[in-house]
Amino acid sequence: ASAEAPAAATAAAATRPVIIHRAIFGSFERFLGIVTEHYAGKWPFWLSPRQVIIVPVSEKFAEYAGTVREKLHAAKFFVDVDWSDRKLNKKIREAQLAQYNFIAVVGESEAANGTVNVRTRENEVTGEKALDEFIAELGTLKNEFK
């Protein structure tokens, strides 16, 4: 029994470590780095993790904002809601800095009409749109990889 112990210790010490290298992971990381640099953080809609943010004008419209969020989420879009108590202009500016593709502002008029007031991250105001129309436009953007 004593003769086996040194042999086992010698065999363990002489075992060569094996490193498995997968080039695909390095390639994928390089790809993500190149794509991120190319878009400068302004991801196209179909690829963006921040597609739409809903900005209620005040707490009174939080319920409608939640309804809009549910409909957009059901249509398979990435949606957030700014529930903070900041001023409207501050909420919109924060959403632009966070690079959301679209900012949907909801207030009294939008809640009454079942619409959203849409603007882009470049501060282009496209105006009030029916929610179903907005969802259809987003679907087109996503399907056409824009």
Side-chain angles (χ1 to χ4, degrees):
S2 62
E4 294 175 15
T10 307
T15 303
R16 184 174 198 168
V18 177
I19 298 174
I20 300 173
H21 175 69
R22 294 290 303 204
I24 191 166
F25 293 123
S27 298
F28 185 68
E29 287 172 0
R30 278 190 300 280
F31 167 75
L32 285 179
I34 290 167
V35 168
T36 302
E37 188 175 304
H38 175 74
Y39 287 116
K42 294 184 178 187
W43 297 95
F45 183 76
W46 67 274
L47 187 58
S48 179
R50 293 180 168 174
Q51 293 177 327
V52 181
I53 186 165
I54 301 157
V55 178
V57 173
S58 70
E59 285 183 16
K60 293 191 296 186
F61 308 107
E63 185 179 337
Y64 181 63
T67 303
V68 171
R69 184 209 171 278
E70 291 303 317
K71 286 188 176 184
L72 287 167
H73 188 66
K76 307 286 188 221
F77 296 112
F78 295 115
V79 186
D80 292 322
V81 178
D82 188 341
W83 301 111
S84 70
D85 61 349
R86 293 186 295 241
K87 300 284 185 200
L88 179 62
N89 288 336
K90 181 72 173 170
K91 288 181 180 185
I92 291 171
R93 182 69 183 136
E94 292 290 325
Q96 289 170 335
L97 291 174
Q99 298 297 336
Y100 281 92
N101 294 74
F102 293 98
I103 302 161
V105 179
V106 295
E108 185 175 354
S109 164
E110 291 81 11
N113 299 329
T115 59
V116 291
N117 197 315
V118 181
R119 63 177 63 215
T120 67
R121 63 180 160 213
E122 287 83 22
N123 206 24
E124 297 171 15
V125 180
T126 58
E128 204 168 313
K129 294 183 180 183
L131 184 54
D132 292 334
E133 177 187 345
F134 182 54
I135 291 172
E137 286 179 16
L138 295 178
T140 301
L141 284 174
K142 191 174 186 178
N143 294 334
E144 292 179 358
F145 298 105
K146 293 186 177 179

